Amino acid sequence: MHLSVSGVSKTFGHGPRAKLVLDDINLELDSGEFVALVGSSGSGKSTVMRLVAGLERSSTGSITVDGRPVRGPGSDRGMVFQKYSLYPWLSAAENVAFGMQLQGRPKREVNERTAYFLEVVGLSDAGRRLPRELSGGMQQRVAIARALAADPKVLLLDEPFGALDLQIRESMQEFLYQLWERTGLTALLITHDVEEALLLAQRVHIMAPRPGRIIRTVAAQLDRSNLAHLRVSRPFLELREELAGCLRSLDAGVPA
Amino acid sequence: MSSTSTTAGKARSANALDAAAWRRWLGHPWSLGLIGILAVLLVWQLIAGSGLVDKLFLPSPEAVWKAGSEQYARGILIKDLLASVGRVGAGFALSALVSLPIGIAMGCSRVICQLLEPLMGLIRYMPAPAFIPLLIIYFGLGEEPKILLIFIGTVFFNTLMIMDSVKFVPSELRETALTLGGHGFQIVTKVVAPFIAPQVIDAYRINMASAWNLVIVAELVAANEGLGKRISLAQRFLRTDEIFVGLIVIGLIGLAIDLGFRLLMRRACSWAN
Ligand SMILES: Nc1ncnc2c1ncn2[C@@H]1O[C@H](COP(=O)(O)OP(=O)(O)O)[C@@H](O)[C@H]1O
Ligand SMILES: [Mg+2]
């Protein structure tokens, strides 16, 4: 799998009210990679994600998956939203099965894969519960299981833990990292949290706002054998401080 | 000594139990409503029994009950009831069936919405009873004009309420389905339809009340049987007791239908409560 975003810009609106939201975005993503896009809110991160997902059309540039241009949404690019994306009338298991049913997979396969992915996200016992009976963290795990069960080539995560409490967020970050190690998934993560990006991704793109553009790319080669240690290790903290400072200066209007 | 204290304790706890039972009974959501109805019945009985008001104007509850039982014994009550319920059922079923796809289409497609909304908004404000003369000219005095009146009087409200409910489907739910490999029509049947089900049931429940208003109006104008017809006949013979019977029966059926829809909602859409 190879995802390529090259020279992409996006303008919303027409004429005098036209607003350039993204300017010349370039990204590459290969099978098994975990890449993060960090920026303050309003910098256009979600717009990048929606373009890759095919939910919006880019104004210029091209987005391709394995050389084929993205023309609309498809199950090769699974997406996890920040919140409100579980079907409230379906149980956790039915939510996980939902995509596979849309694809018309045989019933037996759907059942087996549903059980497998519920197990992968550690929710085998919660399969019959409705979304409103699950905690925020559990809901996001169901959403991730649902996206994975549809067998995407790349998983698009748009601030998946942004609505969760700090402690739960940290445990979800460890969960996602272990999931990545175990299943070898390919992921593009969007976050406004530098720590989250550095913790999980091998490559971190920093976005500047108005118009949204990538101003810096960092290869985060860190020892991730123990994330709790990593969080407080010196190289990690230094890198985090540096990037956070970079984002702060952008928000303050100082040119980077 | 100890035995007396236990008896006293028992009595006290029995009192406490009684009080608790009463509180629980009063706390039931229907208790106060029942008390309200009983209070009105009592006042009615008192006024009618006092002889202050002419019996012709205000029959006593017993007289109304007697008139009702008599109608029931003669088989008129059931016949009228079935006639009215049948008209409401046919007209409203037609309205529900037509409004569902159109409402969803209007909610999902801006083109269809812009095409139909002004038209519907206009017709909606034409009072349905004003269509009666036209319907009689077109269809005579049979069942068709009555069924169509109920249809006309409810279909626009149903459609517009369903359209509104579609607009509240969170875009994340549609977009998730798209990124899972879903296509246009699947989004409608697997995402939009289940999401709006509770609001659709509620719209039907609310607009059902208009259907009952309309059937009575239609029967007052022209019918051979039906609860509305019975009321207008009763007026001709100054049978206020029969008018009361008709009103109470209509109210009870309406209440039953309302409860039926609420029950359906609780059964079919337990996730939404
Ligand atoms: N559909 C749209 N129409 C007009 N402006 C939009 C639309 N979607 C996003 N924007 C604008 O684009 C900018 C970036 O938004 P977004 O991509 O959601 O940023 P982020 O996810 O980084 O917070 C914002 O200023 C927002 O107002
Ligand atoms: Mg966003």
Side-chain angles (χ1 to χ4, degrees), chain A residues 10-13 17 19-22 37-50 56 82 158-159 190-192 207 209-210 212:
Chain A
K10 175 71 183 173
T11 308
F12 283 111
R17 289 167 71 189
K19 185 176 169 195
L20 182 65
V21 166
L22 291 179
L37 209 54
V38 189
S40 53
S41 109
S43 57
K45 308 181 295 295
S46 293
T47 307
V48 173
M49 197 65 110
R50 295 175 61 79
E56 306 272 4
Q82 182 170 355
D158 189 350
E159 307 212 27
I190 279 183
T191 176
H192 61 260
M207 278 187 80
R210 290 175 296 276

PDB file of all heavy atoms in Angstrom, chain A residues 10-13 17 19-22 37-50 56 82 158-159 190-192 207 209-210 212, ligand 1:
ATOM      1  N   LYS A  10      -6.834  23.251  -0.910  1.00  0.00           N
ATOM      2  CA  LYS A  10      -8.292  23.206  -0.805  1.00  0.00           C
ATOM      3  C   LYS A  10      -8.827  24.600  -0.521  1.00  0.00           C
ATOM      4  O   LYS A  10      -8.378  25.273   0.414  1.00  0.00           O
ATOM      5  CB  LYS A  10      -8.712  22.249   0.315  1.00  0.00           C
ATOM      6  CG  LYS A  10     -10.201  22.223   0.582  1.00  0.00           C
ATOM      7  CD  LYS A  10     -10.962  21.556  -0.544  1.00  0.00           C
ATOM      8  CE  LYS A  10     -12.462  21.598  -0.318  1.00  0.00           C
ATOM      9  NZ  LYS A  10     -13.215  21.099  -1.484  1.00  0.00           N
ATOM     10  N   THR A  11      -9.755  25.030  -1.346  1.00  0.00           N
ATOM     11  CA  THR A  11     -10.413  26.311  -1.140  1.00  0.00           C
ATOM     12  C   THR A  11     -11.887  26.043  -0.889  1.00  0.00           C
ATOM     13  O   THR A  11     -12.517  25.313  -1.651  1.00  0.00           O
ATOM     14  CB  THR A  11     -10.267  27.194  -2.389  1.00  0.00           C
ATOM     15  OG1 THR A  11      -8.892  27.254  -2.740  1.00  0.00           O
ATOM     16  CG2 THR A  11     -10.795  28.588  -2.145  1.00  0.00           C
ATOM     17  N   PHE A  12     -12.429  26.608   0.179  1.00  0.00           N
ATOM     18  CA  PHE A  12     -13.870  26.527   0.405  1.00  0.00           C
ATOM     19  C   PHE A  12     -14.512  27.815  -0.088  1.00  0.00           C
ATOM     20  O   PHE A  12     -13.958  28.898   0.107  1.00  0.00           O
ATOM     21  CB  PHE A  12     -14.190  26.342   1.887  1.00  0.00           C
ATOM     22  CG  PHE A  12     -13.971  24.945   2.381  1.00  0.00           C
ATOM     23  CD1 PHE A  12     -12.947  24.656   3.258  1.00  0.00           C
ATOM     24  CD2 PHE A  12     -14.796  23.908   1.959  1.00  0.00           C
ATOM     25  CE1 PHE A  12     -12.738  23.365   3.726  1.00  0.00           C
ATOM     26  CE2 PHE A  12     -14.595  22.616   2.421  1.00  0.00           C
ATOM     27  CZ  PHE A  12     -13.568  22.345   3.300  1.00  0.00           C
ATOM     28  N   GLY A  13     -15.672  27.698  -0.704  1.00  0.00           N
ATOM     29  CA  GLY A  13     -16.398  28.874  -1.161  1.00  0.00           C
ATOM     30  C   GLY A  13     -15.880  29.389  -2.495  1.00  0.00           C
ATOM     31  O   GLY A  13     -14.895  28.885  -3.036  1.00  0.00           O
ATOM     32  N   ARG A  17     -15.697  35.359  -1.349  1.00  0.00           N
ATOM     33  CA  ARG A  17     -15.755  34.677  -0.055  1.00  0.00           C
ATOM     34  C   ARG A  17     -14.916  33.401  -0.041  1.00  0.00           C
ATOM     35  O   ARG A  17     -14.969  32.630   0.910  1.00  0.00           O
ATOM     36  CB  ARG A  17     -17.203  34.365   0.304  1.00  0.00           C
ATOM     37  CG  ARG A  17     -17.982  35.629   0.659  1.00  0.00           C
ATOM     38  CD  ARG A  17     -19.464  35.372   0.716  1.00  0.00           C
ATOM     39  NE  ARG A  17     -19.834  34.572   1.870  1.00  0.00           N
ATOM     40  CZ  ARG A  17     -21.049  34.072   2.055  1.00  0.00           C
ATOM     41  NH1 ARG A  17     -21.975  34.263   1.154  1.00  0.00           N
ATOM     42  NH2 ARG A  17     -21.333  33.372   3.123  1.00  0.00           N
ATOM     43  N   LYS A  19     -12.041  30.844   0.539  1.00  0.00           N
ATOM     44  CA  LYS A  19     -11.109  30.790   1.665  1.00  0.00           C
ATOM     45  C   LYS A  19     -10.136  29.644   1.424  1.00  0.00           C
ATOM     46  O   LYS A  19     -10.558  28.490   1.315  1.00  0.00           O
ATOM     47  CB  LYS A  19     -11.901  30.569   2.946  1.00  0.00           C
ATOM     48  CG  LYS A  19     -11.058  30.611   4.196  1.00  0.00           C
ATOM     49  CD  LYS A  19     -11.961  30.482   5.416  1.00  0.00           C
ATOM     50  CE  LYS A  19     -11.145  30.252   6.666  1.00  0.00           C
ATOM     51  NZ  LYS A  19     -11.993  29.773   7.770  1.00  0.00           N
ATOM     52  N   LEU A  20      -8.865  29.980   1.325  1.00  0.00           N
ATOM     53  CA  LEU A  20      -7.851  28.954   1.120  1.00  0.00           C
ATOM     54  C   LEU A  20      -7.562  28.300   2.469  1.00  0.00           C
ATOM     55  O   LEU A  20      -7.051  28.932   3.380  1.00  0.00           O
ATOM     56  CB  LEU A  20      -6.572  29.579   0.553  1.00  0.00           C
ATOM     57  CG  LEU A  20      -5.433  28.595   0.247  1.00  0.00           C
ATOM     58  CD1 LEU A  20      -5.821  27.641  -0.875  1.00  0.00           C
ATOM     59  CD2 LEU A  20      -4.155  29.345  -0.081  1.00  0.00           C
ATOM     60  N   VAL A  21      -7.908  27.025   2.593  1.00  0.00           N
ATOM     61  CA  VAL A  21      -7.779  26.330   3.869  1.00  0.00           C
ATOM     62  C   VAL A  21      -6.531  25.454   3.903  1.00  0.00           C
ATOM     63  O   VAL A  21      -5.882  25.315   4.941  1.00  0.00           O
ATOM     64  CB  VAL A  21      -9.051  25.498   4.147  1.00  0.00           C
ATOM     65  CG1 VAL A  21      -8.823  24.511   5.275  1.00  0.00           C
ATOM     66  CG2 VAL A  21     -10.212  26.423   4.483  1.00  0.00           C
ATOM     67  N   LEU A  22      -6.185  24.877   2.751  1.00  0.00           N
ATOM     68  CA  LEU A  22      -4.966  24.063   2.675  1.00  0.00           C
ATOM     69  C   LEU A  22      -4.125  24.540   1.500  1.00  0.00           C
ATOM     70  O   LEU A  22      -4.651  24.840   0.423  1.00  0.00           O
ATOM     71  CB  LEU A  22      -5.312  22.589   2.470  1.00  0.00           C
ATOM     72  CG  LEU A  22      -5.977  21.857   3.628  1.00  0.00           C
ATOM     73  CD1 LEU A  22      -6.265  20.419   3.222  1.00  0.00           C
ATOM     74  CD2 LEU A  22      -5.129  21.909   4.879  1.00  0.00           C
ATOM     75  N   LEU A  37      -0.157  13.906  12.070  1.00  0.00           N
ATOM     76  CA  LEU A  37      -0.270  15.271  11.585  1.00  0.00           C
ATOM     77  C   LEU A  37      -0.675  16.100  12.800  1.00  0.00           C
ATOM     78  O   LEU A  37      -1.735  15.866  13.383  1.00  0.00           O
ATOM     79  CB  LEU A  37      -1.378  15.293  10.546  1.00  0.00           C
ATOM     80  CG  LEU A  37      -1.369  16.286   9.403  1.00  0.00           C
ATOM     81  CD1 LEU A  37      -0.066  16.196   8.643  1.00  0.00           C
ATOM     82  CD2 LEU A  37      -2.529  15.969   8.455  1.00  0.00           C
ATOM     83  N   VAL A  38       0.191  17.044  13.203  1.00  0.00           N
ATOM     84  CA  VAL A  38      -0.104  17.827  14.408  1.00  0.00           C
ATOM     85  C   VAL A  38      -0.297  19.287  14.044  1.00  0.00           C
ATOM     86  O   VAL A  38       0.442  19.837  13.226  1.00  0.00           O
ATOM     87  CB  VAL A  38       1.057  17.751  15.424  1.00  0.00           C
ATOM     88  CG1 VAL A  38       0.650  18.377  16.743  1.00  0.00           C
ATOM     89  CG2 VAL A  38       1.476  16.324  15.642  1.00  0.00           C
ATOM     90  N   GLY A  39      -1.277  19.905  14.662  1.00  0.00           N
ATOM     91  CA  GLY A  39      -1.484  21.331  14.433  1.00  0.00           C
ATOM     92  C   GLY A  39      -2.533  21.826  15.392  1.00  0.00           C
ATOM     93  O   GLY A  39      -3.301  21.038  15.940  1.00  0.00           O
ATOM     94  N   SER A  40      -2.548  23.140  15.605  1.00  0.00           N
ATOM     95  CA  SER A  40      -3.567  23.676  16.503  1.00  0.00           C
ATOM     96  C   SER A  40      -4.925  23.593  15.813  1.00  0.00           C
ATOM     97  O   SER A  40      -5.003  23.351  14.616  1.00  0.00           O
ATOM     98  CB  SER A  40      -3.228  25.124  16.867  1.00  0.00           C
ATOM     99  OG  SER A  40      -3.022  25.862  15.689  1.00  0.00           O
ATOM    100  N   SER A  41      -5.968  23.815  16.586  1.00  0.00           N
ATOM    101  CA  SER A  41      -7.293  23.628  16.015  1.00  0.00           C
ATOM    102  C   SER A  41      -7.570  24.727  14.983  1.00  0.00           C
ATOM    103  O   SER A  41      -7.170  25.870  15.152  1.00  0.00           O
ATOM    104  CB  SER A  41      -8.334  23.600  17.121  1.00  0.00           C
ATOM    105  OG  SER A  41      -9.104  24.751  17.104  1.00  0.00           O
ATOM    106  N   GLY A  42      -8.176  24.313  13.871  1.00  0.00           N
ATOM    107  CA  GLY A  42      -8.431  25.253  12.787  1.00  0.00           C
ATOM    108  C   GLY A  42      -7.321  25.314  11.758  1.00  0.00           C
ATOM    109  O   GLY A  42      -7.397  26.076  10.796  1.00  0.00           O
ATOM    110  N   SER A  43      -6.285  24.475  11.939  1.00  0.00           N
ATOM    111  CA  SER A  43      -5.177  24.535  10.987  1.00  0.00           C
ATOM    112  C   SER A  43      -5.435  23.694   9.730  1.00  0.00           C
ATOM    113  O   SER A  43      -4.604  23.667   8.830  1.00  0.00           O
ATOM    114  CB  SER A  43      -3.874  24.107  11.661  1.00  0.00           C
ATOM    115  OG  SER A  43      -4.011  22.823  12.205  1.00  0.00           O
ATOM    116  N   GLY A  44      -6.572  23.007   9.694  1.00  0.00           N
ATOM    117  CA  GLY A  44      -6.908  22.282   8.475  1.00  0.00           C
ATOM    118  C   GLY A  44      -6.610  20.793   8.518  1.00  0.00           C
ATOM    119  O   GLY A  44      -6.655  20.122   7.487  1.00  0.00           O
ATOM    120  N   LYS A  45      -6.352  20.249   9.721  1.00  0.00           N
ATOM    121  CA  LYS A  45      -6.026  18.825   9.839  1.00  0.00           C
ATOM    122  C   LYS A  45      -7.192  17.949   9.375  1.00  0.00           C
ATOM    123  O   LYS A  45      -7.009  17.019   8.593  1.00  0.00           O
ATOM    124  CB  LYS A  45      -5.692  18.462  11.297  1.00  0.00           C
ATOM    125  CG  LYS A  45      -4.642  19.331  11.935  1.00  0.00           C
ATOM    126  CD  LYS A  45      -4.354  18.903  13.360  1.00  0.00           C
ATOM    127  CE  LYS A  45      -5.509  19.054  14.342  1.00  0.00           C
ATOM    128  NZ  LYS A  45      -5.912  20.445  14.584  1.00  0.00           N
ATOM    129  N   SER A  46      -8.377  18.267   9.870  1.00  0.00           N
ATOM    130  CA  SER A  46      -9.527  17.438   9.497  1.00  0.00           C
ATOM    131  C   SER A  46      -9.791  17.515   8.001  1.00  0.00           C
ATOM    132  O   SER A  46     -10.224  16.532   7.395  1.00  0.00           O
ATOM    133  CB  SER A  46     -10.775  17.895  10.250  1.00  0.00           C
ATOM    134  OG  SER A  46     -10.632  17.632  11.622  1.00  0.00           O
ATOM    135  N   THR A  47      -9.521  18.675   7.431  1.00  0.00           N
ATOM    136  CA  THR A  47      -9.740  18.815   5.993  1.00  0.00           C
ATOM    137  C   THR A  47      -8.797  17.885   5.213  1.00  0.00           C
ATOM    138  O   THR A  47      -9.223  17.235   4.258  1.00  0.00           O
ATOM    139  CB  THR A  47      -9.565  20.281   5.562  1.00  0.00           C
ATOM    140  OG1 THR A  47     -10.401  21.096   6.384  1.00  0.00           O
ATOM    141  CG2 THR A  47      -9.956  20.475   4.113  1.00  0.00           C
ATOM    142  N   VAL A  48      -7.542  17.792   5.657  1.00  0.00           N
ATOM    143  CA  VAL A  48      -6.619  16.842   5.016  1.00  0.00           C
ATOM    144  C   VAL A  48      -7.211  15.437   5.076  1.00  0.00           C
ATOM    145  O   VAL A  48      -7.263  14.709   4.079  1.00  0.00           O
ATOM    146  CB  VAL A  48      -5.238  16.853   5.721  1.00  0.00           C
ATOM    147  CG1 VAL A  48      -4.353  15.753   5.158  1.00  0.00           C
ATOM    148  CG2 VAL A  48      -4.575  18.211   5.573  1.00  0.00           C
ATOM    149  N   MET A  49      -7.671  15.072   6.275  1.00  0.00           N
ATOM    150  CA  MET A  49      -8.215  13.737   6.475  1.00  0.00           C
ATOM    151  C   MET A  49      -9.429  13.485   5.589  1.00  0.00           C
ATOM    152  O   MET A  49      -9.569  12.419   4.994  1.00  0.00           O
ATOM    153  CB  MET A  49      -8.616  13.619   7.943  1.00  0.00           C
ATOM    154  CG  MET A  49      -8.814  12.222   8.405  1.00  0.00           C
ATOM    155  SD  MET A  49      -7.253  11.372   8.337  1.00  0.00           S
ATOM    156  CE  MET A  49      -6.897  11.173  10.051  1.00  0.00           C
ATOM    157  N   ARG A  50     -10.298  14.480   5.492  1.00  0.00           N
ATOM    158  CA  ARG A  50     -11.515  14.309   4.699  1.00  0.00           C
ATOM    159  C   ARG A  50     -11.184  14.207   3.213  1.00  0.00           C
ATOM    160  O   ARG A  50     -11.888  13.522   2.467  1.00  0.00           O
ATOM    161  CB  ARG A  50     -12.488  15.462   4.973  1.00  0.00           C
ATOM    162  CG  ARG A  50     -12.990  15.465   6.425  1.00  0.00           C
ATOM    163  CD  ARG A  50     -13.846  16.685   6.713  1.00  0.00           C
ATOM    164  NE  ARG A  50     -15.021  16.718   5.865  1.00  0.00           N
ATOM    165  CZ  ARG A  50     -16.110  15.990   6.074  1.00  0.00           C
ATOM    166  NH1 ARG A  50     -16.176  15.207   7.124  1.00  0.00           N
ATOM    167  NH2 ARG A  50     -17.120  16.052   5.249  1.00  0.00           N
ATOM    168  N   GLU A  56     -14.259  14.947   0.763  1.00  0.00           N
ATOM    169  CA  GLU A  56     -14.201  16.249   0.075  1.00  0.00           C
ATOM    170  C   GLU A  56     -13.293  16.091  -1.133  1.00  0.00           C
ATOM    171  O   GLU A  56     -12.462  15.184  -1.170  1.00  0.00           O
ATOM    172  CB  GLU A  56     -13.576  17.334   0.974  1.00  0.00           C
ATOM    173  CG  GLU A  56     -14.196  17.532   2.329  1.00  0.00           C
ATOM    174  CD  GLU A  56     -15.338  18.523   2.337  1.00  0.00           C
ATOM    175  OE1 GLU A  56     -15.713  19.031   1.249  1.00  0.00           O
ATOM    176  OE2 GLU A  56     -15.869  18.773   3.426  1.00  0.00           O
ATOM    177  N   GLN A  82     -13.779  11.784  15.894  1.00  0.00           N
ATOM    178  CA  GLN A  82     -13.551  12.117  17.295  1.00  0.00           C
ATOM    179  C   GLN A  82     -14.656  11.575  18.203  1.00  0.00           C
ATOM    180  O   GLN A  82     -14.404  11.056  19.267  1.00  0.00           O
ATOM    181  CB  GLN A  82     -13.445  13.635  17.442  1.00  0.00           C
ATOM    182  CG  GLN A  82     -13.152  14.067  18.860  1.00  0.00           C
ATOM    183  CD  GLN A  82     -12.809  15.548  18.938  1.00  0.00           C
ATOM    184  OE1 GLN A  82     -12.692  16.235  17.926  1.00  0.00           O
ATOM    185  NE2 GLN A  82     -12.643  16.041  20.137  1.00  0.00           N
ATOM    186  N   ASP A 158      -9.035  10.730  13.184  1.00  0.00           N
ATOM    187  CA  ASP A 158      -9.152  12.182  13.350  1.00  0.00           C
ATOM    188  C   ASP A 158      -9.388  12.520  14.822  1.00  0.00           C
ATOM    189  O   ASP A 158     -10.511  12.476  15.295  1.00  0.00           O
ATOM    190  CB  ASP A 158     -10.296  12.718  12.485  1.00  0.00           C
ATOM    191  CG  ASP A 158     -10.315  14.244  12.464  1.00  0.00           C
ATOM    192  OD1 ASP A 158      -9.586  14.868  13.258  1.00  0.00           O
ATOM    193  OD2 ASP A 158     -11.060  14.817  11.648  1.00  0.00           O
ATOM    194  N   GLU A 159      -8.342  12.856  15.532  1.00  0.00           N
ATOM    195  CA  GLU A 159      -8.398  13.135  16.968  1.00  0.00           C
ATOM    196  C   GLU A 159      -9.260  12.107  17.696  1.00  0.00           C
ATOM    197  O   GLU A 159     -10.216  12.475  18.376  1.00  0.00           O
ATOM    198  CB  GLU A 159      -8.940  14.553  17.214  1.00  0.00           C
ATOM    199  CG  GLU A 159      -8.175  15.597  16.425  1.00  0.00           C
ATOM    200  CD  GLU A 159      -8.091  16.928  17.133  1.00  0.00           C
ATOM    201  OE1 GLU A 159      -8.151  16.949  18.365  1.00  0.00           O
ATOM    202  OE2 GLU A 159      -7.929  17.948  16.426  1.00  0.00           O
ATOM    203  N   ILE A 190      -4.410  12.156  13.285  1.00  0.00           N
ATOM    204  CA  ILE A 190      -4.486  13.610  13.427  1.00  0.00           C
ATOM    205  C   ILE A 190      -4.656  13.941  14.890  1.00  0.00           C
ATOM    206  O   ILE A 190      -5.421  13.284  15.596  1.00  0.00           O
ATOM    207  CB  ILE A 190      -5.694  14.132  12.642  1.00  0.00           C
ATOM    208  CG1 ILE A 190      -5.309  14.250  11.196  1.00  0.00           C
ATOM    209  CG2 ILE A 190      -6.134  15.459  13.183  1.00  0.00           C
ATOM    210  CD1 ILE A 190      -6.396  14.806  10.386  1.00  0.00           C
ATOM    211  N   THR A 191      -3.923  14.906  15.368  1.00  0.00           N
ATOM    212  CA  THR A 191      -4.043  15.271  16.775  1.00  0.00           C
ATOM    213  C   THR A 191      -3.548  16.701  16.971  1.00  0.00           C
ATOM    214  O   THR A 191      -2.809  17.227  16.142  1.00  0.00           O
ATOM    215  CB  THR A 191      -3.240  14.293  17.663  1.00  0.00           C
ATOM    216  OG1 THR A 191      -3.310  14.729  19.008  1.00  0.00           O
ATOM    217  CG2 THR A 191      -1.779  14.223  17.244  1.00  0.00           C
ATOM    218  N   HIS A 192      -3.997  17.335  18.056  1.00  0.00           N
ATOM    219  CA  HIS A 192      -3.426  18.636  18.381  1.00  0.00           C
ATOM    220  C   HIS A 192      -2.420  18.470  19.520  1.00  0.00           C
ATOM    221  O   HIS A 192      -1.853  19.435  20.009  1.00  0.00           O
ATOM    222  CB  HIS A 192      -4.520  19.648  18.744  1.00  0.00           C
ATOM    223  CG  HIS A 192      -5.329  19.239  19.933  1.00  0.00           C
ATOM    224  ND1 HIS A 192      -6.558  18.664  19.822  1.00  0.00           N
ATOM    225  CD2 HIS A 192      -5.060  19.304  21.256  1.00  0.00           C
ATOM    226  CE1 HIS A 192      -7.023  18.385  21.020  1.00  0.00           C
ATOM    227  NE2 HIS A 192      -6.132  18.748  21.912  1.00  0.00           N
ATOM    228  N   MET A 207       1.697  21.160  11.290  1.00  0.00           N
ATOM    229  CA  MET A 207       0.927  22.036  10.403  1.00  0.00           C
ATOM    230  C   MET A 207       0.809  23.442  10.974  1.00  0.00           C
ATOM    231  O   MET A 207       0.607  23.625  12.167  1.00  0.00           O
ATOM    232  CB  MET A 207      -0.474  21.475  10.172  1.00  0.00           C
ATOM    233  CG  MET A 207      -0.500  20.406   9.101  1.00  0.00           C
ATOM    234  SD  MET A 207      -2.185  19.918   8.719  1.00  0.00           S
ATOM    235  CE  MET A 207      -2.692  21.242   7.652  1.00  0.00           C
ATOM    236  N   PRO A 209      -1.344  27.141  10.596  1.00  0.00           N
ATOM    237  CA  PRO A 209      -2.678  27.553  10.140  1.00  0.00           C
ATOM    238  C   PRO A 209      -2.680  28.743   9.177  1.00  0.00           C
ATOM    239  O   PRO A 209      -1.677  29.436   9.053  1.00  0.00           O
ATOM    240  CB  PRO A 209      -3.376  27.933  11.445  1.00  0.00           C
ATOM    241  CG  PRO A 209      -2.287  28.430  12.333  1.00  0.00           C
ATOM    242  CD  PRO A 209      -1.012  27.723  11.917  1.00  0.00           C
ATOM    243  N   ARG A 210      -3.844  28.929   8.544  1.00  0.00           N
ATOM    244  CA  ARG A 210      -4.163  30.115   7.721  1.00  0.00           C
ATOM    245  C   ARG A 210      -3.096  30.471   6.693  1.00  0.00           C
ATOM    246  O   ARG A 210      -2.404  31.458   6.905  1.00  0.00           O
ATOM    247  CB  ARG A 210      -4.464  31.311   8.633  1.00  0.00           C
ATOM    248  CG  ARG A 210      -5.777  31.164   9.385  1.00  0.00           C
ATOM    249  CD  ARG A 210      -5.976  32.285  10.357  1.00  0.00           C
ATOM    250  NE  ARG A 210      -4.980  32.299  11.404  1.00  0.00           N
ATOM    251  CZ  ARG A 210      -5.047  31.573  12.523  1.00  0.00           C
ATOM    252  NH1 ARG A 210      -6.066  30.811  12.740  1.00  0.00           N
ATOM    253  NH2 ARG A 210      -4.084  31.617  13.416  1.00  0.00           N
ATOM    254  N   GLY A 212      -3.616  26.288   5.942  1.00  0.00           N
ATOM    255  CA  GLY A 212      -3.003  25.094   6.493  1.00  0.00           C
ATOM    256  C   GLY A 212      -1.876  24.593   5.600  1.00  0.00           C
ATOM    257  O   GLY A 212      -2.057  24.425   4.396  1.00  0.00           O
TER     258      GLY A 212
HETATM  259  N1  LIG C   1     -17.044  22.800   4.666  1.00  0.00           N
HETATM  260  C1  LIG C   1     -16.351  23.907   4.981  1.00  0.00           C
HETATM  261  N2  LIG C   1     -16.716  25.101   4.486  1.00  0.00           N
HETATM  262  C2  LIG C   1     -16.026  26.220   4.804  1.00  0.00           C
HETATM  263  N3  LIG C   1     -14.959  26.253   5.616  1.00  0.00           N
HETATM  264  C3  LIG C   1     -14.541  25.099   6.145  1.00  0.00           C
HETATM  265  C4  LIG C   1     -15.225  23.868   5.877  1.00  0.00           C
HETATM  266  N4  LIG C   1     -14.598  22.879   6.551  1.00  0.00           N
HETATM  267  C5  LIG C   1     -13.584  23.467   7.214  1.00  0.00           C
HETATM  268  N5  LIG C   1     -13.551  24.790   6.985  1.00  0.00           N
HETATM  269  C6  LIG C   1     -12.563  25.746   7.527  1.00  0.00           C
HETATM  270  O1  LIG C   1     -11.282  25.222   7.346  1.00  0.00           O
HETATM  271  C7  LIG C   1     -10.448  25.521   8.434  1.00  0.00           C
HETATM  272  C8  LIG C   1      -9.794  24.249   8.929  1.00  0.00           C
HETATM  273  O2  LIG C   1     -10.742  23.402   9.468  1.00  0.00           O
HETATM  274  P1  LIG C   1     -10.395  21.933   9.976  1.00  0.00           P
HETATM  275  O3  LIG C   1      -9.822  21.171   8.839  1.00  0.00           O
HETATM  276  O4  LIG C   1     -11.606  21.368  10.617  1.00  0.00           O
HETATM  277  O5  LIG C   1      -9.269  22.224  11.050  1.00  0.00           O
HETATM  278  P2  LIG C   1      -8.749  21.320  12.257  1.00  0.00           P
HETATM  279  O6  LIG C   1      -9.247  19.927  12.053  1.00  0.00           O
HETATM  280  O7  LIG C   1      -7.259  21.423  12.186  1.00  0.00           O
HETATM  281  O8  LIG C   1      -9.266  21.925  13.503  1.00  0.00           O
HETATM  282  C9  LIG C   1     -11.311  26.188   9.480  1.00  0.00           C
HETATM  283  O9  LIG C   1     -11.048  27.560   9.451  1.00  0.00           O
HETATM  284  C10 LIG C   1     -12.719  25.909   9.019  1.00  0.00           C
HETATM  285  O10 LIG C   1     -13.553  26.994   9.348  1.00  0.00           O
END
